[in-house]
């Protein structure tokens, strides 16, 4: 391999920013990604995604070395960019199942749906251990507990990568974000503008090494033992040093001590946050142990700058060779270098994409993720023969129940993807004998027997979900009050990416249920509400009381409303 071809393997561009299809050859690109909103021009359907992948992979097969591309995408709760895919509960819900076998099955199905488009790399599982639920990425974490993350994170790796990486349905997994992404101090988040910062995302994790190891490294050892082939260093810093340039973290601890033999992929333009010039940033990160760099738009500049750094002796050729060896070792393990096999999509998988069988597993995940926080007067389970009045902004909104990373990066309210809303599921479960009425604001419930307020959060992702105030939205409190004023028992169902401050409704709701972000299979919620399946979910995050003076776990100001592990 020439130096150009080696550096090309270390370069990952975003397909939407490719200046020419021939850049795959001109820059010997080893990988492409679709970032949050990087979609086929012809639409988000299965066929368009498959054509997009095949088009790029075919071009890569025409280069001198014909090394196939790794194509990466954020399939973090199903193949969530693609219309018709099965969208699973986000990790916070899966964490409440405590069911490693089920999490593995969910990842297995996600891998199969990802491979249906030909794509061979998922930027998942997220092994974050969020310690402050005001963080916008809390829902991407299984739990505040390292033990839960250990168990479920490695299960997800096994699910994605299957019995061996070279199996046709296996997808390369990516444990992220190494390390301490969920432990940043409040107020240290990424710069917003003119000196202002987001509260937590991409901030500074100020802990000693023992704490970093105990909490934030916990999930990585089992993931490495499960054979995870890639790991993504975090945007965040550890005691003021950016992870993406930290040799102690990336090489001494992760590669040498923990024995990680796969490759490190940077986060999206993460090197831009390192100190110094472009060349100094690149040299620092590569020398620290970064193997592949996610440079969505500036891939040509990266290629040329790294080449200069090598030619000027700032980056040893030995480091380049080690990075390329790691990347090619994974491609060999994936069967990508086997000339007797085609890396193009196997379109026979289209028939199981979004299938009833896949949806049944997602429905089971939803059922087991539901946590009943309160149930006075046995108001749950619901009878199927009474008049129920359903209300709230999250009752009939598939976009809200899927949350972020769904079709678009941030997610969106409304009818964004095929699925079953909780209201539709309640109607289907209740059957003809019952009477189900609905109003978003909770009005018109007078002659109903029970009111159900399905409330919580609207979609968000990453720093756009950072909040300083976790109080339930006024509109949601109003819905509960309106139902209550009808003189009927009220059940509150929270559809949210994290625990919220619910003190304002706690005394008014006879029952409170946490449904997290259940995804497309809302029927799983109705299964528990009507008692078809006993609730088994247990909190994977402590639930705070509204008078807490801090929401940082372990902080004396944190007042607990429901403890970790709670669930009726
Ligand atoms: C994003 C996220 C990371 C994701 C990557 C590619 O900014 O930090 O989790 O995998 O960029 O979309």
């Amino acid at each position: 391999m020439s130096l150009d071809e080696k550096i090309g393997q270390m370069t990952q561009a975003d397909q939407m920013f490719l200046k020419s299809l021939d850049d795959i050859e001109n820059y010997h690109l080893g990988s492409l990604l679709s970032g949050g909103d990087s979609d086929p021009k012809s639409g988000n359907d299965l066929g368009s995604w498959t054509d997009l992948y095949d088009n790029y992979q075919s071009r890569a097969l025409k280069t001198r070395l014909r090394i196939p591309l790794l194509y990466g995408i954020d399939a973090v709760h199903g193949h969530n960019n693609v219309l018709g895919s099965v969208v699973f509960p986000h990790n916070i819900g899966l964490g409440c199942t405590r069911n490693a076998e089920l999490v593995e099955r969910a990842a297995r199905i996600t891998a199969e749906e990802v491979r249906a488009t030909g794509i061979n790399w998922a930027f998942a599982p997220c092994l974050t251990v969020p310690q402050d639920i005001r963080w916008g990425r809390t829902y991407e974490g299984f739990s505040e507990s390292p033990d839960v993350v250990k168990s479920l994170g490695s299960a997800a790796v096994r699910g994605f990568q299957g019995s061996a990486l070279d199996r046709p349905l296996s997808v390369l997994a990516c444990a992220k974000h190494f390390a301490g992404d969920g432990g940043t101090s409040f107020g240290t988040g990424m710069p917003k503008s003119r000196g202002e910062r987001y509260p937590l995302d991409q901030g500074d994790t100020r802990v000693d090494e023992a704490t970093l190891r105990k909490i934030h490294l916990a999930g990585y050892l089992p993931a490495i033992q499960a054979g995870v082939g890639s790991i993504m260093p975090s945007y965040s810093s550890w005691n003021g040093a950016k992870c993406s340039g930290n040799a102690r973290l990336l090489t001494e601890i992760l590669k040498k001590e923990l024995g990680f033999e796969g490759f490190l992929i940077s986060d999206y333009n993460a090197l831009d946050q390192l100190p110094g010039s472009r060349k100094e940033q690149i040299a620092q990160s590569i020398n620290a142990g970064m193997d592949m760099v996610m440079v969505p738009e500036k891939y040509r500049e990266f290629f040329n700058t790294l080449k200069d750094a090598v030619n000027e002796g700032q980056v040893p050729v030995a480091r380049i060779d080690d990075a390329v060896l790691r990347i090619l070792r994974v491609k060999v393990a994936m069967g990508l270098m086997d000339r007797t096999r085609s890396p193009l999509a196997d379109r026979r998988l289209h028939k199981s994409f979004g299938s009833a069988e896949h949806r049944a597993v997602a429905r089971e995940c939803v059922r087991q993720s539901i946590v009943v926080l309160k149930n006075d007067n046995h108001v749950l389970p619901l009878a199927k023969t009474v008049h129920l009045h359903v209300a709230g902004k999250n009752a009939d909104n598939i976009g809200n129940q899927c949350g972020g990373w769904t079709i678009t990066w941030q997610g969106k309210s409304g009818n964004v993807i095929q699925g079953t809303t909780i209201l539709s599921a309640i109607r289907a479960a209740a059957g003809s004998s019952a009477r189900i009425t609905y109003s978003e604001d909770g009005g018109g419930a007078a002659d109903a027997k029970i009111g159900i307020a399905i409330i919580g959060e609207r979609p968000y992702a990453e720093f756009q979900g950072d909040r300083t105030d976790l109080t339930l939205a006024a509109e949601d409190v109003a819905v509960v009050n309106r139902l209550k004023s009808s003189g009927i028992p009220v059940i509150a169902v929270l559809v949210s990416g994290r625990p919220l401050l619910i003190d304002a409704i706690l005394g008014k709701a006879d029952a409170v249920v946490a449904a997290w972000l259940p995804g497309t299979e809302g029927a799983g919620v109705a299964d528990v509400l009507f008692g078809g399946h006993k609730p088994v979910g247990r909190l994977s995050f402590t639930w705070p009381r509204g008078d807490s003076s801090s929401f940082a776990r372990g902080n004396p100001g944190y007042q607990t409303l429901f403890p970790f592990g709670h669930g009726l």
Side-chain angles (χ1 to χ4, degrees):
M1 290 174 81
S2 67
L3 178 61
D4 284 14
E5 287 165 332
K6 290 177 184 176
I7 290 175
Q9 284 299 309
M10 300 168 66
T11 307
Q12 181 187 62
D14 191 311
Q15 68 85 26
M16 72 187 286
F17 295 122
L18 272 182
K19 290 154 183 71
S20 141
L21 187 61
D22 292 338
D23 271 6
I24 290 174
E25 177 154 23
N26 303 336
Y27 292 85
H28 316 283
L29 296 179
S31 178
L32 291 176
L33 86 141
S34 272
D37 292 328
S38 169
D39 307 325
K41 289 185 180 56
S42 50
N44 274 325
D45 58 285
L46 175 57
S48 296
W49 273 100
T50 311
D51 294 344
L52 174 125
Y53 166 84
D54 277 355
N55 180 40
Y56 292 124
Q57 192 64 282
S58 305
R59 186 63 187 84
L61 295 178
K62 296 191 183 83
T63 57
R64 182 176 83 87
L65 297 174
R66 295 187 296 142
I67 300 174
L69 295 166
L70 282 173
Y71 199 105
I73 199 163
D74 291 281
V76 294
H77 62 146
H79 198 0
N80 39 250
N81 289 56
V82 184
L83 294 172
S85 64
V86 178
V87 176
F88 287 82
H90 268 298
N91 285 350
I92 190 168
L94 296 179
C96 295
T97 71
R98 305 293 202 283
N99 187 334
E101 182 278 327
L102 186 57
V103 168
E104 181 171 344
R105 256 196 296 161
R108 186 97 294 282
I109 286 168
T110 299
E112 186 176 329
E113 300 211 348
V114 168
R115 289 310 295 250
T117 55
I119 290 172
N120 50 24
W121 186 13
F123 299 129
C126 186
L127 300 184
T128 184
V129 192
Q131 300 295 296
D132 188 325
I133 57 173
R134 290 171 292 182
W135 185 38
R137 306 196 74 166
T138 295
Y139 68 77
E140 297 186 58
F142 290 108
S143 176
E144 69 184 28
S145 154
D147 292 337
V148 173
V149 173
K150 272 180 185 171
S151 154
L152 302 186
S154 51
V157 168
R158 285 191 297 274
F160 277 114
Q161 300 194 161
S163 53
L165 265 176
D166 67 351
R167 301 280 75 118
L169 297 185
S170 294
V171 159
L172 177 64
C174 179
K176 71 184 189 181
H177 313 76
F178 190 83
D181 50 348
T184 57
S185 298
F186 194 81
T188 66
M190 66 183 280
K192 194 185 276 188
S193 61
R194 288 181 305 284
E196 211 190 335
R197 286 183 172 277
Y198 283 94
L200 289 154
D201 196 33
Q202 305 183 23
D204 190 17
T205 300
R206 295 167 178 165
V207 296
D208 61 22
E209 183 160 327
T211 305
L212 189 85
R213 285 174 179 272
K214 183 161 73 76
I215 296 178
H216 302 292
L217 295 194
Y220 288 89
L221 197 57
I224 292 168
Q225 287 163 340
V228 70
S230 69
I231 290 178
M232 187 184 290
S234 178
Y235 280 122
S236 56
S237 305
W238 177 33
N239 294 332
K242 284 282 175 186
C243 295
S244 302
N246 188 323
R248 170 134 179 71
L249 263 183
L250 305 189
T251 296
E252 285 172 46
I253 294 177
L254 184 52
K255 291 181 175 179
K256 289 186 177 156
E257 181 192 327
L258 301 185
F260 175 58
E261 294 184 333
F263 69 89
L264 301 184
I265 170 72
S266 82
D267 207 329
Y268 200 97
N269 285 324
L271 273 59
D272 295 359
Q273 298 181 19
L274 298 179
S277 69
R278 192 91 193 95
K279 191 179 295 178
E280 286 162 339
Q281 293 169 333
I282 290 170
Q284 181 193 350
S285 186
I286 300 296
N287 289 335
M290 195 71 76
D291 300 304
M292 187 188 284
V293 178
M294 191 184 291
V295 271
E297 197 163 356
K298 298 178 284 187
Y299 59 91
R300 288 181 175 181
E301 178 209 46
F302 168 78
F303 181 94
N304 294 321
T305 309
L306 177 51
K307 194 171 164 186
D308 292 347
V310 174
N311 291 331
E312 292 157 18
Q314 290 168 40
V315 174
V317 174
R319 176 72 271 274
I320 299 294
D321 289 347
D322 173 54
V324 176
L325 173 71
R326 286 170 174 271
I327 293 164
L328 294 183
R329 180 189 291 143
V330 169
K331 290 190 174 184
V332 169
M334 291 172 72
L336 284 172
M337 305 306 283
D338 177 347
R339 298 298 185 206
T340 66
R341 293 170 58 175
S342 160
L344 300 185
D346 174 359
R347 295 181 191 237
R348 291 171 299 175
L349 294 172
H350 284 197
K351 65 178 180 301
S352 66
F353 189 86
S355 65
E357 294 72 27
H358 290 180
R359 293 184 190 278
V361 177
R363 181 171 175 171
E364 181 62 31
C365 292
V366 175
R367 281 186 202 124
Q368 296 194 27
S369 68
I370 302 296
V371 181
V372 177
L373 299 172
K374 171 184 179 184
N375 184 25
D376 289 356
N377 318 319
H378 303 291
V379 70
L380 286 174
L382 293 170
K384 293 188 175 182
T385 54
V386 299
H387 175 186
L388 303 172
H389 188 81
V390 182
K393 68 181 181 237
N394 289 348
D396 199 29
N397 196 312
I398 200 82
N400 289 3
Q401 76 187 49
C402 286
W405 299 103
T406 308
I407 304 301
T408 58
W409 172 46
Q410 288 294 316
K412 205 180 302 182
S413 296
N415 198 14
V416 298
I417 191 169
Q418 169 197 339
T420 308
T421 64
I422 300 170
L423 173 62
S424 314
I426 288 171
R427 287 192 197 287
S432 54
S433 54
R435 188 171 160 231
I436 308 289
T437 50
Y438 166 67
S439 65
E440 186 165 332
D441 66 3
D447 58 0
K449 187 125 178 21
I450 293 180
I452 307 170
I454 306 180
I455 52 181
E457 291 188 304
R458 290 189 175 82
Y460 53 81
E462 301 193 52
F463 48 88
Q464 296 194 26
D466 274 13
R467 286 176 61 172
T468 52
D469 173 9
L470 293 173
T471 312
L472 203 57
E475 63 195 351
D476 290 342
V477 177
V479 169
V480 173
N481 289 340
R482 210 164 283 127
L483 290 175
K484 193 67 196 163
S485 65
S486 306
I488 55 177
V490 177
I491 295 164
V493 178
L494 294 161
V495 174
S496 65
R498 57 192 140 197
L500 298 174
L501 302 183
I502 56 172
D503 307 69
I505 63 163
L506 199 56
K508 299 192 177 91
D510 299 76
V512 181
V513 173
W516 314 112
L517 297 172
T520 51
E521 305 315 305
V525 180
D527 291 340
V528 173
L529 292 180
F530 284 103
H533 293 260
K534 282 197 180 313
V536 296
R538 284 176 288 122
L539 287 181
S540 61
F541 285 85
T542 309
W543 198 291
R545 227 178 40 216
D547 58 356
S548 298
S549 59
S550 163
F551 295 96
R553 187 170 170 260
N555 187 305
Y558 190 112
Q559 304 297 323
T560 298
L561 178 61
F562 299 112
F564 172 87
H566 174 70
L568 301 183

